[in-house]
Amino acid sequence: MVSAETPRVVFSTDAFNTIITETLHKHPDETGGILLGQDDGSMWYVIECIEPGPAAIFRPHYFEYDHDFVNYVARARARRYRIPLKLLGLWHRHPGSFDRFSSTDDETNRAFAEKRSPGAISGLVNIDPNFRFTLYHFDATLKYRKTEYEVSDEGIPASYLMKRFTGKEYTEAIGNELKNPEKQLPEELLDILLYENELLLKQRLYTCSFRYEAKPFCMIAI
């Protein structure tokens, strides 16, 4: 049973399909992505998943984001919605059946969770041999809790899926936006910054049953 402190997560079909197709496209290499959406008490909604980018590095036990791409696309996707999307967490693939977080993952997860009082979520994908997705919720103390999830567009409130500009509102809305400065996006998305070099100096290699190396995540300044 899921703890009362742990949210239930609903993925849009588009977001979850992105996770699956990105995993299959990069198989057998590692890959990952960023999860954007809304948190509403005990219910969290993952609406968009950002791919790692054309300049990302993919290897069987190593994965590095295309930082500039991820930052740009995350900001652009968040602004498409009437209620701007929040940064909820991330996901990545692990080799074999290893479905726990490495030391590097812990540092990255902590950086995400420290910026958000509700914590963050992180998903791990394994191919052993079928696609397997394990989702965790955690706060800055890194008390990982497995989190129930479902994939359902109908399970996401319509207000969260509403685009910023729709139908007949286009002309009037765009005119109003040009007259008034754009509103800032949610504060917790403005300065999520993880200094790679600082963390890599602390711990260059991360080992479990195999040699696992991964660079921490980059800045997300939506």
Side-chain angles (χ1 to χ4, degrees):
M1 179 178 295
V2 177
S3 165
E5 298 177 338
T6 305
R8 182 176 180 84
V9 180
V10 181
F11 285 81
S12 70
T13 55
D14 183 75
F16 205 77
N17 268 273
T18 299
I19 294 172
I20 296 173
T21 55
E22 177 64 24
T23 299
L24 296 177
H25 180 58
K26 297 302 189 303
H27 180 74
D29 293 335
E30 287 200 15
T31 187
I34 306 304
L35 306 176
L36 304 179
Q38 302 292 347
D39 55 336
D40 188 356
S42 63
M43 295 297 300
W44 289 25
Y45 306 97
V46 178
I47 297 170
E48 295 270 0
C49 178
I50 308 302
E51 294 89 340
I57 299 174
F58 309 96
R59 296 174 186 166
H61 303 300
Y62 179 92
F63 163 58
E64 180 181 345
Y65 289 94
D66 177 347
H67 296 179
D68 290 340
F69 174 90
V70 171
N71 276 282
Y72 178 85
V73 175
R75 290 193 295 269
R77 295 277 181 87
R79 286 192 284 258
R80 289 181 182 179
Y81 290 82
R82 184 73 56 89
I83 303 174
L85 301 184
K86 302 175 182 180
L87 178 63
L88 300 182
L90 65 165
W91 74 274
H92 67 288
R93 179 181 174 177
H94 267 186
S97 297
F98 184 66
D99 58 3
R100 300 180 305 281
F101 295 108
S102 69
S103 298
T104 304
D105 296 335
D106 286 341
E107 294 288 352
T108 304
N109 290 340
R110 182 179 289 108
F112 272 67
E114 285 177 345
K115 297 296 183 180
R116 288 175 39 81
S117 57
I121 52 175
S122 185
L124 293 175
V125 169
N126 297 99
I127 306 294
D128 54 0
N130 297 320
F131 177 92
R132 181 163 61 90
F133 184 75
T134 308
L135 187 65
Y136 296 87
H137 173 260
F138 50 90
D139 58 19
T141 66
L142 297 185
K143 294 179 180 178
Y144 294 113
R145 301 180 180 89
K146 286 188 178 180
T147 304
E148 291 185 2
Y149 70 90
E150 63 177 300
V151 182
S152 170
D153 291 335
E154 292 75 19
I156 301 176
S159 59
Y160 291 154
L161 297 174
M162 188 175 296
K163 295 298 191 294
R164 184 172 170 186
F165 303 116
T166 58
K168 296 180 179 179
E169 301 175 0
Y170 284 141
T171 302
E172 180 179 353
I174 293 172
N176 289 335
E177 293 260 349
L178 292 174
K179 295 177 183 177
N180 302 297
E182 183 177 346
K183 293 181 180 179
Q184 290 291 328
L185 292 171
E187 182 64 28
E188 66 267 25
L189 301 187
L190 297 179
D191 57 358
I192 293 186
L193 177 59
L194 197 59
Y195 291 96
E196 291 184 355
N197 293 338
E198 180 180 336
L199 288 179
L200 290 174
L201 284 173
K202 292 179 181 177
Q203 193 173 30
R204 297 293 299 185
L205 298 179
Y206 307 91
T207 58
C208 38
S209 58
F210 53 88
R211 182 173 182 271
Y212 176 72
E213 230 186 331
K215 284 194 175 182
F217 188 59
C218 56
M219 177 172 67
I220 290 286
I222 295 181

